Amino acid sequence: MQLTDTGRIFFERCERIAQERDEAIALIGEQGEPQGDLRVTCSTAMDERFVAPIIRRFTMPHPKLNITIDLSNRIVDLVAEGYDLAVRTGHVADPRLGARRVASRTLFTCAAPGYLARMPKPEKVSDLAKHECIVGTNTVWHFKRGDKAFHHNPKGRFRCNSGHAVIEACIADFGICQLPDFYILPHLKQGMVELVLEDQQPEDEAIWAVYPQRRHLLPKIRQVVECLATDLAASMS
């Protein structure tokens, strides 16, 4: 016998309800052990390098906890798609969601010495219009001088949703890019890239652990968020 799509959805929902019952019982117990399924979504770069190792270490001492991590650069609807937790940047505007700031990241703008040898170094944000810009997942670049914020819509011949590919194109003299610190700093230390517009660097960008409001008291959510708040900033430094 094979379930129809409707039957499968109903069965999965019943399983979820049973898990939530067990979690509710754990919540009022003395220990509140994390258990059941924990579905997490995060951007590819953040998760592979930082989030997945932290969640893996968190999971190991909890044999009743099952983890699924979805790597995606899209903004997932946690409530509609049945996710427990997201790690994301930017502003959290959905009233159905709770959020806790667990870390921050710095955005740098840079270019390779070879590119800057043939093109004048930009002195102001408007100068970027004359340059080849390498575009990643952020299609708007942010800057700040004093109390005034600026933005730039980068244009260029190379676009990719992989930060690794963007920084490699930058190192290859393809143009200017703006990326989080963990992509740029290793190459900056080796002299493979140089900062541009460093006096107009934007404010640090918050990284949030985001979860459906109704689930934030469950032990598995509460404890993994606490773990991220403790370990993520240190692992990114």
Side-chain angles (χ1 to χ4, degrees):
M1 180 181 295
Q2 187 172 1
L3 290 174
T4 64
D5 288 344
T6 302
R8 178 181 53 78
I9 293 170
F10 177 74
F11 178 75
E12 290 174 353
R13 180 57 182 152
C14 288
E15 280 192 320
R16 190 76 169 178
I17 291 171
Q19 289 177 4
E20 290 178 356
R21 176 206 60 199
D22 294 340
E23 290 166 352
I25 293 171
L27 179 62
I28 61 176
E30 291 184 2
Q31 300 301 320
E33 180 185 357
Q35 58 184 278
D37 294 333
L38 179 64
R39 298 187 68 204
V40 182
T41 178
C42 182
S43 68
T44 302
M46 281 285 297
D47 191 86
E48 286 182 335
R49 300 181 65 173
F50 306 114
V51 175
I54 292 172
I55 292 180
R56 183 185 67 242
R57 292 193 297 269
F58 169 78
T59 306
M60 289 181 68
H62 302 297
K64 296 181 180 180
L65 184 63
N66 305 310
I67 300 291
T68 299
I69 302 177
D70 177 33
L71 306 185
S72 176
N73 289 328
R74 71 184 179 92
I75 301 299
V76 174
D77 186 328
L78 302 187
V79 176
E81 299 183 44
Y83 282 86
D84 299 295
L85 182 71
V87 180
R88 60 178 56 154
T89 58
H91 180 61
V92 181
D94 192 332
R96 301 172 301 168
L97 303 178
R100 177 175 174 182
R101 184 169 180 159
V102 292
S104 61
R105 66 182 189 180
T106 302
L107 294 173
F108 289 112
T109 310
C110 69
Y115 177 83
L116 295 175
R118 71 173 191 267
M119 293 291 292
K121 189 174 183 178
E123 300 295 334
K124 53 186 183 295
V125 174
S126 59
D127 290 343
L128 291 173
K130 306 170 187 175
H131 283 267
E132 188 76 38
C133 294
I134 309 167
V135 186
T137 55
N138 289 335
T139 56
V140 178
W141 292 359
H142 298 278
F143 301 90
K144 187 174 183 181
R145 171 174 277 178
D147 294 330
K148 191 171 183 179
F150 302 86
H151 71 272
H152 175 70
N153 298 103
K155 307 293 183 184
R157 295 180 295 130
F158 187 85
R159 290 175 175 262
C160 185
N161 64 354
S162 164
H164 292 291
V166 169
I167 191 62
E168 287 173 3
C170 181
I171 292 169
D173 300 339
F174 210 95
I176 297 174
C177 70
Q178 185 177 86
L179 286 171
D181 44 10
F182 51 82
Y183 285 114
I184 290 178
L185 289 180
H187 304 293
L188 183 66
K189 292 175 182 177
Q190 297 175 29
M192 301 174 74
V193 296
E194 299 177 12
L195 296 183
V196 301
L197 299 171
E198 57 266 45
D199 61 335
Q200 299 174 59
Q201 190 171 305
E203 292 182 345
D204 286 357
E205 191 173 46
I207 300 173
W208 304 92
V210 184
Y211 40 82
Q213 284 277 14
R214 63 182 179 83
R215 301 183 62 77
H216 76 285
L217 289 178
L218 293 175
K220 64 182 181 183
I221 307 295
R222 187 179 69 250
Q223 292 182 34
V224 76
V225 169
E226 187 64 38
C227 186
L228 287 167
T230 301
D231 295 349
L232 185 57
S235 69
M236 293 177 63
S237 62

